[in-house]
Amino acid sequence: MDKPKIHLTDVTGRDGFQMEKEWIETEDKIHILNRIIGSGIKRIEATSFVSPKAIPQLKDAKEVVRELHRDHVEVMALVPNLKGAELALDSGVDVVNVVLSISETHNKKNVNKTVSESLENVTAIHHLVRDQYKKLNVSLGTTFGCPFEGLYHVEKVSTIISKLHSEGINQITLADTTGMANPTQISRFVETLTKQYPDIQFSLHLHNTRGMGLVNLYAGYHAGIRHFDAALGGIGGCPFAPGATGNVCLEDIVHMLDLMNIPNDPDMNKLIHTSKELERILGYKLSGQVMKAGLANEVVPV
Ligand code: COA
Ligand code: ZN
């Protein structure tokens, strides 16, 4: 029997670029994102519509969205509030991704709101998005734990999801913002939440902060998750969480999935090529491993 397919969302343009201190030219951002789209990815989180004081790197959100090649890809953007959602929809995004954190401390630092204020925001944004026949995704930052508050039990997360579920929200991302989750915890969370909310499409957003990114992805897949976020070259992180580092690396995931015959969309070689281009643009060594080592099933000439 065929193995179930994995759907990957590329978050290089948002989670990846938001962590870069040096300004990346808008045309370079557009070039890289269009290359990623050209690799066959079906959903891309291209940018965020947030305060330019909070994330100066993404102040060109509108220009970036305008120049993307849109034929076979859904363009998503992260927003922290109603204003962000209005700007994102005006710019023509297909999916609005509202962020809020499970952690009160992180939510305050990240979006300057209490969790309950952020939940009220979600309701207002949901109505706006629905009226325009677009899609809404809610990303739950620090789902598995927060550097300021420690690791969480699934009950805490389920309480917040039940509020979103009662609003009719059906796409939720469980984000391990600072790479604190382990495979056992991932399995427990996924099994519990998918049983409690069978009509919600959950995705996993994993960071490789402590080297558990790929193994957490595999644990999530085994537990039934079919949608995952990833960033080219393993770049990224949240500037408002201490010690945050890169996302699980997109091309390293595809390399593993291809070897395991797990169906997925992007073309491996195109991604590696683009990751090397990104490395030249950013001007430092990226943490992606396959881009350095080469493919496991390619023989090196003697
Ligand atoms: N897009 C652009 N500008 C925005 C905005 C948005 N979505 N939301 C607010 N602003 C502007 C306001 O117009 C105001 O501008 P002004 O100072 O020129 O008048 C300024 O930002 C402050 O607005 P306010 O509503 O008081 O926000 P705040 O200072 O409480 O900050 C957020 C709240 C949510 C706007 C800010 O914390 C933020 O953008 N956070 C995003 C964090 C992030 O992206 N983290 C990484 C991803 S997880
Ligand atoms: Zn992230």
Side-chain angles (χ1 to χ4, degrees), residues 14-15 177 205 207 237 247:
R14 197 278 297 171
D15 200 320
T177 308
H205 175 101
H207 281 261
N247 286 272

Side-chain angles (χ1 to χ4, degrees), residues 14 18 48-55 78-81 83-85 87 99 106 109-113 237-240:
R14 197 278 297 171
Q18 77 184 12
S48 58
F49 289 85
V50 299
S51 161
K53 286 185 194 132
I55 311 273
L78 178 134
V79 309
N81 56 15
K83 176 171 177 153
L87 292 170
V99 63
H106 184 259
K109 286 180 186 293
N110 198 39
V111 295
N112 196 24
K113 288 181 178 54
C238 176
F240 303 101

Side-chain angles (χ1 to χ4, degrees), residues 76 97 137-141 143 171-175 201-205 229:
M76 178 159 85
N97 184 25
N137 187 80
V138 176
S139 275
L140 296 176
T143 290
Q171 286 193 19
I172 294 182
T173 301
L174 309 172
Q201 178 186 291
F202 286 103
S203 58
L204 275 177
H205 175 101
D229 290 354

Side-chain angles (χ1 to χ4, degrees), residues 225-268:
I225 297 286
R226 302 290 173 254
H227 295 79
F228 296 88
D229 290 354
L232 205 64
I235 66 169
C238 176
F240 303 101
T245 56
N247 286 272
V248 65
C249 172
L250 177 60
E251 66 272 20
D252 289 0
I253 296 174
V254 174
H255 176 257
M256 181 180 85
L257 299 181
D258 286 355
L259 285 173
M260 296 172 77
N261 292 320
I262 297 175
N264 66 94
D265 291 310
D267 178 275
M268 177 75 240

